Amino acid sequence: MSRPIRRTLAALLLCAALPCASAAEFKVALIQFDPWAKPNPDPVLAAKEPYVGIVVDLLKEFERRSGHSTVRTLTPYARVERDLQVGDIDFSLMAWGDARAAYANRGTAFVPLEFGVRARQGVPLKSYENLKHIVTAAPRGLKVDPRFDVDPTVRKELVLDYTQAIRISVANRDAKAVAGSLSTLGHLIHKFGLEAEFGDVLVLNTTHLTVAFSKKSSQLAVEAEVNAVFKTMVDDGTAKKIYERWMIPPKH
């Protein structure tokens, strides 16, 4: 059976299993973190596809399977939370934290994500107490761990994004470690060729990349269908393959 025929049959089966409504358009925020979502570096392709990354590929597959469309906006992390709170977007795909339950519904979970701190080479980081003796760089507004986020005894240097946090920590500034999604940090550290600059890793929290659906969205009536479509991507391994294609460094 050819691939186009298999896709057609899959779409028909999905519509048979789900309450497929007429095609809808969803406003979606793309969190501006490499490799989750970023401007397309190819100037030729950027005219047609301005953004690339894990979340972009997940949304493209969602559109293909569901017949719905998404209006995507590349958005700084802190702004995504605000947009969900006020209903300026319908949903986003992001690491779930319990605080988001106040303004968003937790939907389909795609992949597990570890959050924590990665220290410079030679800086001991064996326990949480070690964090109280160093300065840690972290993107402003990022939820790393409930204890870490509010602990006044752990000194933090808040920066724009992961890239700035990494560069500050290797530039002999005050910060001697970086905090956030450990897979994202690992991806960027590998990308910049800085593996030798970093050592100990401390895992503080494990969560999942999930659908966060705004409680003020005008599309709440089809929220269950959106999650059901994404779940088919989890069940058949597509979501994991998309994540690994972007996140895991290639083996040489």
Side-chain angles (χ1 to χ4, degrees):
M1 186 182 298
S2 69
R3 182 173 295 179
I5 293 175
R6 287 199 302 270
R7 288 179 175 177
T8 300
L9 289 174
L12 291 172
L13 289 172
L14 181 62
C15 281
L18 302 176
C20 287
S22 57
E25 182 179 83
F26 297 96
K27 294 177 289 185
V28 182
L30 306 175
I31 295 181
Q32 191 173 356
F33 281 154
D34 182 5
W36 300 100
K38 61 182 179 179
N40 194 331
D42 188 319
V44 176
L45 298 178
K48 183 178 180 181
E49 186 64 74
Y51 310 123
V52 296
I54 296 170
V55 173
V56 177
D57 284 356
L58 289 171
L59 291 173
K60 288 163 66 176
E61 182 65 13
F62 166 79
E63 291 179 334
R64 187 187 71 80
R65 296 188 182 207
S66 68
H68 298 316
S69 61
T70 58
V71 177
R72 310 165 200 164
T73 304
L74 195 64
T75 310
Y77 177 86
R79 172 86 184 194
V80 173
E81 293 189 316
R82 177 264 176 198
D83 288 350
L84 285 168
Q85 288 170 356
V86 302
D88 281 354
I89 58 174
D90 295 303
F91 66 87
S92 185
L93 309 184
M94 61 198 306
W96 183 259
D98 290 342
R100 297 202 173 92
Y103 54 83
N105 297 323
R106 177 175 177 168
T108 297
F110 296 97
V111 291
L113 299 174
E114 289 185 333
F115 278 71
V117 180
R118 192 163 177 176
R120 284 288 309 277
Q121 191 66 251
V123 176
L125 188 56
K126 306 300 182 184
S127 70
Y128 186 88
E129 289 301 310
N130 293 144
L131 292 172
K132 299 180 180 182
H133 304 291
I134 60 175
V135 176
T136 302
R140 189 178 304 277
L142 182 68
K143 304 297 189 297
V144 176
D145 172 74
R147 179 184 179 187
F148 174 88
D149 295 338
V150 299
D151 191 343
T153 67
V154 176
R155 294 175 294 164
K156 308 173 188 76
E157 183 168 351
L158 302 180
V159 296
L160 178 64
D161 55 25
Y162 283 122
T163 297
Q164 188 177 11
I166 291 169
R167 288 175 174 168
I168 284 175
S169 69
V170 298
N172 291 320
R173 299 273 293 276
D174 291 338
K176 301 300 181 186
V178 291
S181 162
L182 293 175
S183 59
T184 304
L185 288 169
H187 168 84
L188 292 171
I189 288 169
H190 172 82
K191 177 181 176 180
F192 300 146
L194 295 173
E195 289 98 332
E197 298 289 337
F198 289 89
D200 288 351
V201 173
L202 181 66
V203 177
L204 298 176
N205 185 30
T206 300
T207 183
H208 285 80
L209 175 70
T210 67
V211 178
F213 211 101
S214 171
K215 291 184 175 181
K216 292 190 175 181
S217 166
S218 62
Q219 310 257 33
L220 284 170
V222 290
E223 177 186 3
E225 181 188 334
V226 169
N227 281 303
V229 174
F230 279 123
K231 190 173 187 306
T232 67
M233 297 161 56
V234 176
D235 291 345
D236 68 13
T238 300
K240 183 179 180 181
K241 288 178 182 176
I242 290 173
Y243 172 82
E244 291 180 345
R245 184 165 65 240
W246 283 93
M247 188 65 74
I248 297 179
K251 294 181 180 181
H252 298 290

